[in-house]
Amino acid sequence: MAEITESLPLKRSSVEAAHAAIKEYIHYTPVLTSQTISKLASTPQSPEALVGTAFEGQTPARPKIRLFFKCENYQKVGAFKSRGAFHALSRLSQEQLSKGVVTHSSGNHAQALALAASTHGIKSYIVMPTISTPSKIAATKGYGAEVIFSGSTSQEREAVVEDVMRKTNATLIPPYDHPDIILGQGTMALELEEQVKELIQRDEWLSQHGSSRKREAGHPTTDGSGSCESNVKQNHEHQGRHLDAVIAPLGGGGMLGGLATAFSGTGTMVFGAEPSFEGADDGRRGLEVNQRITSVKTLTIADGLRTPVGEINWAIISDKSKVEGVYAVSEDQILSAMKLVVERMKVLVEPSAVVGLAVCLYNESFRRLVEEKGGEDGWDLGIILSGGNTTLEAMAKMFASEEAERAAGKVGKDGKRVAENVAG
């Protein structure tokens, strides 16, 4: 693909240009609300719930939050990755397109690039670890890609990619660590921003700020779950207000880097969310020591986040003016958040998608921050539901027991259960 020096600069205007280039190929995914889940996020956790955690003995935080869910599980291929893939191809020359494209991915980027390539009528070569989810392998093949299997480690996968490039002259489209990918993923921020403003203009009660004023004025409240509209008189003071913050899952960092680029200078704060299992929270740990962590070996159920933050994305994420912080949650907390979204919102999501929601519900450090910064007025908070590529069989295993299988593909080529730097 385009050399980094030839890519558009990482700024909001470039995200806008990326959106113009890809909008005919992607879905304008919906933004949903849930008063039930917002209420849960605004309710202090019980002291008993904090026993055994780093927050045991602390007074539970009392944040006030209204949540707005950007549902990228409804995006083409069932995940946000389509945005980056289509934008990356839009930046290639006709000569490059004629020779095809190649990448390595465990699933969502694989499917996204395969779809983008078939849409443009070109060849795609996808290198997938043998531990990739069978349904994702089948879907990638279904979009017309030639799938080549490799071992699980980054060295094995990159060696196979190099071999494909040498034989075909195909252009490498990396999963996350390239400006063209980052800018493509950032396009969801423009939509989220616009959609939330439209929702609040129709019903100011959806905003934490509008509801705060209503309580002060003695207006009655409502209950229930899901997106709603009403004939409540619009509050013109609030119509132009931006989201207070957005939180998104962090794996390789393409999506979080794109969101941070798009929201930079708008007044909307950006946060990242990671699983803590087996060191999957490399972004959070890296920020603590002010150094990017280059290797991740984890079998977290959030399989799309089993990879370290990329170099370019690290430069964005480690910039405090662009990303306020990164927070981590446990496997049980991820499953609890997933269960809420499926049962209360009737929205099918994969574990990686709900890590941000889990932080809002269970991470006391984040919740304390919202309480302190938001005060009595609280926050309107955007949640990125990044994808929905799971199966009923996989969900049944996840919720069957605490020892549920952590990967649909159990072993690598050498017979060992290893997952290292696996790109989502």
Side-chain angles (χ1 to χ4, degrees), residues 207-230:
S207 168
Q208 178 61 38
H209 308 292
S211 63
S212 294
R213 279 188 287 272
K214 282 187 184 180
R215 283 194 301 272
E216 292 169 4
H219 286 265
T221 62
T222 61
D223 196 9
S225 183
S227 190
C228 63
E229 299 180 11
S230 75

Side-chain angles (χ1 to χ4, degrees), residues 14-307:
S14 298
V15 178
E16 293 169 342
H19 196 244
I22 69 173
K23 62 183 180 182
E24 66 178 296
Y25 300 112
I26 62 171
H27 291 321
Y28 190 78
T29 55
V31 169
L32 302 180
T33 63
S34 170
Q35 291 184 30
T36 297
I37 298 181
S38 290
K39 184 177 180 180
L40 288 171
S42 301
T43 302
Q45 298 189 80
S46 68
E48 292 75 23
L50 304 183
V51 173
T53 74
F55 312 111
E56 183 175 351
Q58 297 181 14
T59 301
R62 306 179 67 88
K64 296 181 179 178
I65 308 174
R66 283 299 171 92
L67 301 175
F68 295 83
F69 296 88
K70 179 64 170 169
C71 297
E72 286 293 290
N73 55 308
Y74 295 134
Q75 187 53 263
K76 288 186 177 179
V77 310
F80 73 97
K81 295 279 190 175
S82 295
R83 297 175 181 272
F86 275 107
H87 184 241
L89 264 59
S90 77
R91 301 286 299 165
L92 297 183
S93 67
Q94 286 301 314
E95 181 181 359
Q96 288 174 309
L97 289 170
S98 69
K99 296 174 181 177
V101 291
V102 61
T103 197
H104 55 85
S105 169
S106 63
N108 287 342
H109 179 65
Q111 295 175 71
L113 186 60
L115 173 63
S118 65
T119 300
H120 286 280
I122 66 172
K123 181 75 174 178
S124 62
Y125 306 91
I126 312 296
V127 177
M128 302 187 77
T130 52
I131 65 168
S132 300
T133 306
S135 61
K136 292 184 179 181
I137 295 171
T140 302
K141 290 180 177 179
Y143 290 122
E146 180 178 332
V147 174
I148 304 108
F149 291 105
S150 73
S152 305
T153 68
S154 57
Q155 292 88 349
E156 289 174 307
R157 290 181 287 108
E158 289 167 6
V160 175
V161 167
E162 289 292 335
D163 186 56
V164 172
M165 293 173 68
R166 186 168 51 252
K167 292 177 179 177
T168 66
N169 288 318
T171 299
L172 173 64
I173 308 295
Y176 49 81
D177 204 29
H178 192 283
D180 294 340
I181 296 292
I182 297 166
L183 294 172
Q185 317 302 28
T187 58
M188 72 181 78
L190 306 180
E191 298 174 5
L192 173 62
E193 193 174 50
E194 177 182 301
Q195 289 167 296
V196 170
K197 285 182 179 179
E198 289 176 354
L199 284 169
I200 294 172
Q201 283 174 2
R202 291 202 298 268
D203 185 353
E204 69 167 7
W205 165 248
L206 293 175
S207 168
Q208 178 61 38
H209 308 292
S211 63
S212 294
R213 279 188 287 272
K214 282 187 184 180
R215 283 194 301 272
E216 292 169 4
H219 286 265
T221 62
T222 61
D223 196 9
S225 183
S227 190
C228 63
E229 299 180 11
S230 75
N231 295 319
V232 177
K233 182 180 178 181
Q234 296 177 358
N235 186 302
H236 297 284
E237 176 187 346
H238 181 61
Q239 284 180 22
R241 187 183 177 99
H242 52 72
L243 278 167
D244 295 287
V246 172
I247 188 166
L250 173 58
M255 174 170 55
L256 189 62
L259 289 166
T261 299
F263 281 118
S264 181
T266 65
T268 296
M269 292 174 281
V270 176
F271 296 89
E274 295 178 303
S276 60
F277 185 76
E278 294 181 339
D281 54 340
D282 61 291
R284 184 195 64 80
R285 292 184 293 116
L287 290 175
E288 284 187 344
V289 297
N290 199 31
Q291 183 176 352
R292 185 175 79 94
I293 293 172
T294 59
S295 179
V296 172
K297 297 181 181 180
T298 177
L299 287 172
T300 173
I301 55 172
D303 61 344
L305 309 180
R306 295 174 180 175
T307 186

